[in-house]
Amino acid sequence: MSRRTRPDLSTAMQRLIREVRTQVPFDMPEASLCRGPCKGCSKKLLEFLDTELEEWEGRLEEGEVPRFGDLTRLERLARKVVAALRKNGLIATV
C-alpha cells in the first residue's frame, strides 16, 4: 500500500499562488472592471490580491517557510475576491 505524501508548506504555497494566478483575470482591462454598479470594487480587490501574491512570492524566494495559517488565509482571500468578481459579472459562474 503506497502512501501519498503531502507537499511541504513552501511547495503548497507556490502551487496555490500558481493556481490563483491562472484562475483570476489579473490582466482584465480596467474598462471591463469598472462597468456599472459593483458589489466591492473589482479593481481594488484584484490589486490587493496581486499585492498579497507578490509579497508571498518574494518571501518564498527569500527562503521564508509559510505556516498552515498563511496558506489558509491566502486561499480564503482568493476565494472572496473570486466571489466578488462573480457577483460583478466578471467571472462566469461554474
Side-chain angles (χ1 to χ4, degrees):
M1 180 189 288
S2 77
R3 189 173 168 188
R4 282 186 3 178
T5 58
R6 294 182 181 182
D8 61 86
L9 291 172
S10 293
T11 302
M13 181 63 87
Q14 290 169 342
R15 287 179 183 172
L16 176 60
I17 291 169
R18 190 171 35 248
E19 183 178 340
V20 171
R21 289 219 178 269
T22 301
Q23 294 182 9
V24 176
F26 289 102
D27 57 351
M28 186 174 281
E30 188 174 334
S32 299
L33 293 174
C34 301
R35 56 178 181 152
C38 293
K39 294 179 170 62
C41 179
S42 299
K43 179 182 174 197
K44 288 180 183 177
L45 289 171
L46 284 172
E47 288 172 354
F48 179 65
L49 181 57
D50 187 46
T51 299
E52 290 291 312
L53 295 175
E54 287 176 353
E55 181 182 316
W56 267 109
E57 288 166 335
R59 291 165 77 175
L60 290 169
E61 283 180 17
E62 293 174 1
E64 183 174 337
V65 177
R67 297 181 314 252
F68 184 74
D70 297 323
L71 280 165
T72 303
R73 182 183 163 279
L74 186 59
E75 180 184 16
R76 189 175 305 129
L77 172 64
R79 286 182 188 272
K80 287 180 179 183
V81 170
V82 167
L85 294 175
R86 280 195 179 114
K87 285 179 184 177
N88 290 336
L90 299 173
I91 295 180
T93 304
V94 180

